[in-house]
Amino acid sequence: MFSKFSVALLMVSAVLLLFAALLMPVYAGGQGDDLVDPAPPPPGLPANPYGAWFLPPELAGRTKLHDAGALWTTVFLKWSQVEASPGVYDWSYWDQVLTTLHDAGYEIVVTVLGNPSWAADTTCGPIREEALDDFATFMGKAAARYRESPRVRMWALYNEPDNSDAVEYGDLLGGCWGDANNPHAAPGAGGDAYANMLKHVYPAIKAANPDAYVAIGGLAYDYFTIDPGGGLFDPAFLEDVAKAGGADYFDFLNFHYYPWTADIHWEPEGANRYEWHLAFKGRWITTEVYNLTGQRKPIMITEVGETSHNKDYTPDYRRQIHVIYETFMHSRMIHAYPIIWFTAIDLEFSINYDGRYYGLLHLDGSPKPSYYAYKTLVEELKDATFVRPRDDLPARFEGYEFNDRGHTKTVLWMYPGHPQYPPPQPVDLSVSQKGGRMRIVRVKNWPKTDADTDIVSESYAVDGGEGDHDGWVNGKIRVMIDEDYQFFEDLSAPTYTPTPTPTHSPTPTMTPTPTLTPTPTATPVPRYLYLPTVLFRK
């Protein structure tokens, strides 16, 4: 059944990254200072970048996640399911799936995969040269069919195409264009073959829908074949795609991120809390393409997730909530658009397979505490523009500043790695006028059980009055920061009704939001080195 295929397909990094020794790619410069930021997304897209993943055909959880503010989702469309015989098309299944999502209010990233046997030797990898035009024709028809209603703005090609094992994992992952001298590689695999496919397909999509965007298939870019113990993913795949001219034929870089490799792969020596994990991975991949092509691409993240339970099936919502907040803040800092949480609802397959609960909802559709943490973040920031990381604050804090339609909105928490964590510590936050007022939304960091869902509270503070811990009317409100996640909104110059019932009236005083994008230089960033560090995940 297709649904079983999809579930297996999307247990991507979640299953495979736990099996073997992993090695940390260490940035040669140590700090990551000269990595370039991804480009901002193109204009004209909705402000809200947040999404969640659903399993067709049921698409369970779509209503609750839409209620939580999720706008984006991603699904996998199998070429072989639509065009089982050359030139004979049956779109009925996908008409139903995409219309259901469109009618539910979602923007959709469609990843195309699943080669028919008449076009390729594998379902997951290179297409025979004589069939590339057939694939381009198929993609043109798909882009034209879903140009308006249901509308698909974004197309990606194969899931984790940097996988180099077509024999054991190709059908599971949905992509196997990687080579890496793996004896299980698909015939003709390599980044150059993938680039050649893009050269055929990209013009066909653009001709059918000039407003559509094409993304490279979501890269694992982890668990490499050269890691001790033997990984799956081709470390040279992206480089080979770029060298073969493939970067001219996709609009977005696309990758996946799961945090269990963060301390192994994505913590460069000397980096601070704003320079590692998802942010470092996104900047690293961006810089690799920039060094080779001079092109600074925007990025999307079609899978990011964390389990809500330990392997003994006990809840660990603190971990899942932390990953939601850290990865979503990092994604905004590096302009990722969209960022899609894996998954909306628990998958029975993943629970039975390795005890992993990735959903924001339980199997029965009831919300977890992490659902409310996600909902609060999305509701608070879906209309906001990122301004800066609060790296001006002491190292014991982690914070991010946004502009929400003219209001400064700051997200703060106690940085878990600091020795003073978690006793509350003071921070002075400015308000736009003396005696001003601030709205505070708190998300509880550590819900204990499935039933502990009352984790969000709202309060107000006044400069020199209630909630101001310094007691002075001085244009600053002193707040106490602890392990909980808190949103602080300056209400001193109100231009709209605060969340949860915002209006969308623009403010005449809004100024352009600065970005963190450095001026690119032509100096190549050295490739990382592999150190003999082995960590077996349990």
Side-chain angles (χ1 to χ4, degrees), residues 441-462:
V441 176
R442 176 184 289 267
V443 178
K444 185 177 178 181
N445 171 272
W446 205 337
K448 304 295 185 182
T449 68
D450 290 337
D452 193 4
T453 57
D454 187 16
I455 65 170
V456 182
S457 59
E458 184 178 62
S459 61
Y460 293 85
V462 178

Side-chain angles (χ1 to χ4, degrees), residues 196-197 249 336:
N196 185 42
M197 177 272 295
Y249 299 93

Side-chain angles (χ1 to χ4, degrees), residues 309-323:
H309 286 58
N310 292 317
K311 293 201 72 173
D312 60 1
Y313 301 94
T314 58
D316 187 4
Y317 292 116
R318 181 187 186 188
R319 174 172 61 180
Q320 190 177 44
I321 291 172
H322 178 72
V323 171

Side-chain angles (χ1 to χ4, degrees), residues 292-459:
L292 292 166
T293 69
Q295 300 181 52
R296 192 166 61 94
K297 298 283 189 180
I299 61 170
M300 65 170 65
I301 303 169
T302 46
E303 284 185 34
V304 60
E306 177 59 287
T307 181
S308 62
H309 286 58
N310 292 317
K311 293 201 72 173
D312 60 1
Y313 301 94
T314 58
D316 187 4
Y317 292 116
R318 181 187 186 188
R319 174 172 61 180
Q320 190 177 44
I321 291 172
H322 178 72
V323 171
I324 291 169
Y325 275 72
E326 183 188 66
T327 60
F328 280 21
M329 294 300 117
H330 277 207
S331 75
R332 298 300 299 272
M333 185 167 59
I334 61 170
H335 318 301
Y337 186 101
I339 177 168
I340 297 174
W341 183 262
F342 180 86
T343 61
I345 192 167
D346 282 337
L347 303 177
E348 191 169 3
F349 173 86
S350 67
I351 294 172
N352 294 337
Y353 190 87
D354 67 346
R356 300 284 165 167
Y357 297 72
Y358 290 94
L360 301 170
L361 306 172
H362 294 287
L363 275 170
D364 64 3
S366 61
K368 299 179 184 180
S370 43
Y371 167 84
Y372 295 102
Y374 174 101
K375 183 176 190 290
T376 302
L377 184 152
V378 173
E379 287 181 339
E380 293 295 326
L381 300 180
K382 65 184 180 182
D383 295 309
T385 303
F386 181 78
V387 176
R388 59 173 176 147
R390 291 302 307 268
D391 50 5
D392 58 315
L393 296 174
R396 60 181 173 269
F397 304 114
E398 185 164 356
Y400 302 85
E401 184 177 308
F402 294 81
N403 184 311
D404 190 354
R405 294 157 291 168
H407 284 187
T408 295
K409 189 173 283 187
T410 304
V411 188
L412 282 173
W413 64 87
M414 183 76 76
Y415 178 60
H418 195 272
Q420 289 182 308
Y421 175 87
Q425 300 287 325
V427 170
D428 291 336
L429 295 177
S430 297
V431 287
S432 54
Q433 58 182 277
K434 289 185 177 180
R437 191 164 174 255
M438 180 175 285
R439 173 175 166 269
I440 304 170
V441 176
R442 176 184 289 267
V443 178
K444 185 177 178 181
N445 171 272
W446 205 337
K448 304 295 185 182
T449 68
D450 290 337
D452 193 4
T453 57
D454 187 16
I455 65 170
V456 182
S457 59
E458 184 178 62
S459 61

Side-chain angles (χ1 to χ4, degrees), residues 91 111 147 152 172 222 270 275 352 370 494:
W91 300 96
T111 297
R147 179 172 178 170
V152 175
L172 286 174
D222 248 322
E275 296 172 335
N352 294 337
S370 43

